[in-house]
Amino acid sequence: MVIPIHDKNPVSRAPFVTYGLIIANVVVFLSGPIAFAGMNPDAARKARENAYLYHYGAIPAQLLNGHGNPVWPVFTAMFVHAGWIHLLGNMLFLYIFGNNVEDVLGRFHFLAFYVIGGAASTYAFAWANPTATGPLVGASGAIAAVLGAYVYLFPQAKVTLLVPFLWFLPIRVPAWLVLGFWFVMQLPEFQQTIGVAGSTDVAYFAHVSGFVLGLLYVALVIGRGPSDPAHLPAADTPPAPPPLAPDYRSADPEDPYGQYHR
């Protein structure tokens, strides 16, 4: 497990939408029944938690068969989280990588991109799991779309990570390596190859589909443009200094002071 804590990638304006999304997710979590449930909630509280998740979460089987109101939970589910680690992990990634994508897309475009990316990843998961009846919650699909956009726009941006080795060691690596590693770790086949047991409660396909959709969208619609140093125009060559004034000093040996004559 590696934890990104900072990216060296300045923005040209304050990322108000990114901050607003983080605040909205935190407020929704704190107002729900899960935030202060404790480690071992009693049966009544556990029942309230399940009712909350089923009410606001997106249930794949219902999304595809049209039972109930299958549309609005796709959007409410993006702001509901199943625990503190779920919330804080998502908000950390959104905080670090969302501001630069917002800077490139613009605020309203970024908000639409985030919401549509989250909805698309939810439907992608539902199509891959059409009989699933458990609630799908969390901002992971939307944030995965942001990560896909970021790795395309800023592949060489330096990201500082904390790597657990005896203690948490900070290292700085390019974004393509960080987010590429994150992406392959969402693939169950890769998890099995390296002997890592993936959680059965994590919708990995929503992460994968959101990442791919976000990357393809910016590749086809935005392009790298000025956000990629490789595409920046060459710096203008500084103008040549003006020629020196002609030297009119007398070469007359009887003029020992070499006076200028004009």
Side-chain angles (χ1 to χ4, degrees):
M1 177 180 176
V2 294
I3 304 171
I5 58 173
H6 176 69
D7 68 329
K8 190 175 181 181
N9 197 0
V11 295
S12 61
R13 53 188 166 183
F16 291 129
V17 173
T18 298
Y19 294 158
L21 288 169
I22 292 172
I23 292 170
N25 277 278
V26 172
V27 169
V28 168
F29 182 73
L30 293 178
S31 63
I34 298 175
F36 304 105
M39 296 297 294
N40 298 297
D42 57 28
R45 179 176 283 275
K46 192 66 177 176
R48 288 197 298 273
E49 291 178 12
N50 287 336
Y52 174 76
L53 294 176
Y54 274 90
H55 183 68
Y56 292 106
I59 300 174
Q62 291 185 1
L63 295 181
L64 300 182
N65 63 28
H67 289 172
N69 187 343
V71 176
W72 70 269
V74 171
F75 300 101
T76 59
M78 292 183 221
F79 297 91
V80 175
H81 288 82
W84 281 101
I85 294 177
H86 190 200
L87 172 74
L88 295 177
N90 277 344
M91 295 305 101
L92 176 63
F93 275 80
L94 179 57
Y95 174 76
I96 292 174
F97 300 108
N99 58 345
N100 294 104
V101 179
E102 178 182 344
D103 200 42
V104 173
L105 298 184
R107 290 168 181 154
F108 294 107
H109 190 174
F110 175 72
L111 179 60
F113 169 81
Y114 178 93
V115 172
I116 294 172
S121 65
T122 298
Y123 274 105
F125 179 83
W127 288 325
N129 301 272
T131 61
T133 56
L136 184 64
V137 297
S140 302
I143 295 171
V146 173
L147 301 185
Y150 188 101
V151 78
Y152 184 84
L153 293 168
F154 308 102
Q156 299 300 330
K158 294 297 185 284
V159 180
T160 302
L161 307 173
L162 291 180
V163 179
F165 180 76
L166 300 179
W167 187 246
F168 284 98
L169 301 178
I171 63 171
R172 182 176 290 177
V173 297
W176 68 264
L177 183 59
V178 179
L179 299 180
F181 177 75
W182 179 90
F183 177 78
V184 298
M185 284 300 298
Q186 309 309 306
L187 303 173
E189 297 81 2
F190 183 79
Q191 295 171 3
Q192 296 170 6
T193 299
I194 64 174
V196 174
S199 173
T200 57
D201 295 332
V202 177
Y204 291 110
F205 191 79
H207 301 177
V208 170
S209 58
F211 187 95
V212 172
L213 290 171
L215 189 153
L216 290 177
Y217 177 81
V218 295
L220 296 174
V221 177
I222 305 299
R224 285 199 176 98
S227 61
D228 181 10
H231 290 71
L232 290 175
D236 293 335
T237 304
L244 297 175
D247 189 352
Y248 293 106
R249 276 188 303 187
S250 171
D252 188 347
E254 294 182 2
D255 185 4
Y257 298 103
Q259 298 295 323
Y260 289 95
H261 301 274
R262 298 192 179 276

